[in-house]
Amino acid sequence: MTHSPSGSTLAEAEAFLAAHPQIEAFDIVLHDANGIGRGKIIRRHELLGMYKGGRHLPISILGLDICGEDVHETGLIWDEGDGDRRAWPIPGTLRAIYGSTPARGEVLMSVYTLDGAPMAEDPRHALAAQVQALAAEGLHPAGAFELEFFLLENERGADGKMVPARDVLDGRRNSKTDVYSVDQLHGMLPLFNDIYADAKLAGIKAETLISEFAPGQYELTLHYREDVMQAADDLLRLKRIVRSHARLHGVTACFMAKPNEDYAGSGMHFHVSMLDEAGVNVFVEPNEGQYNPTILHAIGGLRATMAESMLIFAPHANSWRRFASNSYAPVSPTWGVNNRSVALRIPAGDIRARRIEHRPAGVDANPYLVAATVLAGIRHGLKHQIDPGPETTGNGYDAGQDAPAIPVDWRSAIEAAKASDFLKQALGEAMHRTFTAIKAAEYARVMRRVSEVDFDLYLHTV
């Protein structure tokens, strides 16, 4: 086929090459079930051919685990003969990479069958399906993600723990939390200046920079997007940008949910609102503080589906270390207003920007699948007009005792996700099968491994 099912055009590539004669190569990147960028680096002369006819890639690229190894239970490996499918460029994602030597560009890709149908195991298509379902109901989701992460030394300390990175400006080390310290940010400004410059080239509006609630932890906020797919693209591209420039400055960017047991973990809060056909935010209440049924039913749906969805929000073994009381990570499906101890928060501020802040997901989650699941939960709540129950005030960690139960560990979350009809609808059956099979394989890998904690606890005691 010669027509791009993604909507990409040869003219876009031709114009880009004409405007960037210095670029010699391109990263072509698609994201798998874990949100990991997979693909190739192609040379400049190959770009037009890819825009004309796509790029063949093995179907197994969508069935890989966190280590990049095949998960046969997905049905995407030898059941399909590991045949090729076709990846196509995503319109508007072709861009130059800041500071690369020699100059390189990047373009995001999405996978289709050879006859142009969306590959259901591509997580981007799962989100697109929920966006399309809402559009059929006259609604259009808008939103943005927050990116929390750590900057660490490349080598661990003598105790085996990760060490906060020294300032790239002058090598100073700060082992204090220093939450919201402006001066703490200054030592990392050379790195963050490069991140902002690269984000600008990518069309990403990276905004506020914060020193977060642990030594070496930072947060970057992203500009609100009326296209929620673009919001997910922004998050994944910004992670790659942060990781790349951290490496260039001699430090490690860490996107684990919980790299240090003594401090708070890193979340990926998702702010979402809903626009009608006229572009009006339907979550806005007529009188401030008198919340309308639409936002309340949306919260009700998110609460009702949270337990079976937790594997999407906490997909890895390490994800579950983030959930501890009084650590700014929610431990039950509570909701409240201007309250950071709940899972679903209505932030304070101008009511015209009324939105739901969905707080359970860690920064290690796949934003396409997080957004797809959140939108499906909102649709579920609106369809069934689900009452969210009483608002949580005060300490949500205490109030959460009366909230519906959610899984308490990774294995329970895997089993809940496997059995969930809601999650099959939210992701599509093929993506649901692929994701749960990958998580089950990763769980088995982790449980087979004899770790240092085993020796620490049991070597001289049992």
Side-chain angles (χ1 to χ4, degrees), residues 244-300:
S244 172
H245 288 287
R247 190 173 184 181
L248 289 171
H249 281 273
V251 300
T252 294
C254 174
F255 298 102
M256 292 171 63
K258 186 78 166 178
N260 190 316
E261 67 268 25
D262 296 325
Y263 296 101
S266 294
M268 189 179 69
H269 303 160
F270 179 37
H271 294 253
V272 59
S273 58
M274 203 68 63
L275 310 179
D276 64 16
E277 297 286 8
V280 176
N281 183 359
V282 300
F283 285 169
V284 175
E285 64 268 26
N287 298 303
E288 186 168 0
Q290 298 176 5
Y291 299 104
N292 69 37
T294 304
I295 195 169
L296 295 177
H297 293 328
I299 291 171

Side-chain angles (χ1 to χ4, degrees), residues 42-307:
I42 64 171
R43 305 307 294 171
R44 178 185 178 90
H45 69 270
E46 298 178 89
L47 186 71
L48 293 183
M50 187 178 74
Y51 270 79
K52 289 177 182 177
R55 187 81 182 206
H56 286 110
L57 291 171
I59 191 174
S60 57
I61 201 169
L62 296 175
L64 302 176
D65 67 9
I66 195 69
C67 297
E69 296 184 7
D70 293 339
V71 177
H72 296 279
E73 293 81 0
T74 62
L76 296 175
I77 319 300
W78 300 124
D79 291 6
E80 297 280 347
D82 199 15
D84 280 345
R85 297 301 184 266
R86 192 171 290 170
W88 290 89
I90 296 167
T93 65
L94 182 58
R95 62 100 176 188
I97 296 175
Y98 175 80
S100 55
T101 305
R104 293 188 353 270
E106 176 190 78
V107 62
L108 298 187
M109 309 287 286
S110 197
V111 186
Y112 296 79
T113 62
L114 297 181
D115 61 3
M119 274 292 296
E121 294 87 354
D122 183 331
R124 208 171 186 279
H125 293 314
L127 176 53
Q130 288 300 323
V131 171
Q132 291 164 8
L134 281 164
E137 297 164 6
L139 295 172
H140 305 277
F145 290 91
E146 297 174 7
L147 181 67
E148 295 180 356
F149 57 95
F150 283 80
L151 294 176
L152 304 171
E153 291 289 291
N154 293 329
E155 303 296 332
R156 299 184 197 179
D159 59 0
K161 294 184 179 181
M162 304 305 298
V163 179
R166 292 180 180 273
D167 289 351
V168 298
L169 181 66
D170 57 10
R172 293 183 190 178
R173 186 187 302 286
N174 186 350
S175 59
K176 300 189 296 294
T177 296
D178 260 351
V179 63
Y180 286 104
S181 169
V182 176
D183 290 344
Q184 173 64 18
L185 300 174
H186 291 170
M188 289 295 181
L189 278 183
L191 167 56
F192 283 108
N193 288 338
D194 286 345
I195 290 170
Y196 278 117
D198 206 351
K200 183 178 180 180
L201 277 182
I204 297 170
K205 294 182 179 180
E207 297 185 330
T208 305
L209 174 63
I210 302 167
S211 177
E212 263 291 355
F213 204 67
Q217 188 184 35
Y218 300 87
E219 178 187 296
L220 275 170
T221 61
L222 288 159
H223 188 72
Y224 218 59
R225 296 287 197 181
E226 290 191 0
D227 178 354
V228 78
M229 182 73 77
Q230 194 172 24
D233 288 343
D234 284 351
L235 191 285
L236 283 173
R237 299 190 89 162
L238 188 57
K239 283 180 74 172
R240 294 190 75 239
I241 287 169
V242 171
R243 183 179 285 117
S244 172
H245 288 287
R247 190 173 184 181
L248 289 171
H249 281 273
V251 300
T252 294
C254 174
F255 298 102
M256 292 171 63
K258 186 78 166 178
N260 190 316
E261 67 268 25
D262 296 325
Y263 296 101
S266 294
M268 189 179 69
H269 303 160
F270 179 37
H271 294 253
V272 59
S273 58
M274 203 68 63
L275 310 179
D276 64 16
E277 297 286 8
V280 176
N281 183 359
V282 300
F283 285 169
V284 175
E285 64 268 26
N287 298 303
E288 186 168 0
Q290 298 176 5
Y291 299 104
N292 69 37
T294 304
I295 195 169
L296 295 177
H297 293 328
I299 291 171
L302 292 172
R303 291 192 75 217
T305 58
M306 190 175 294

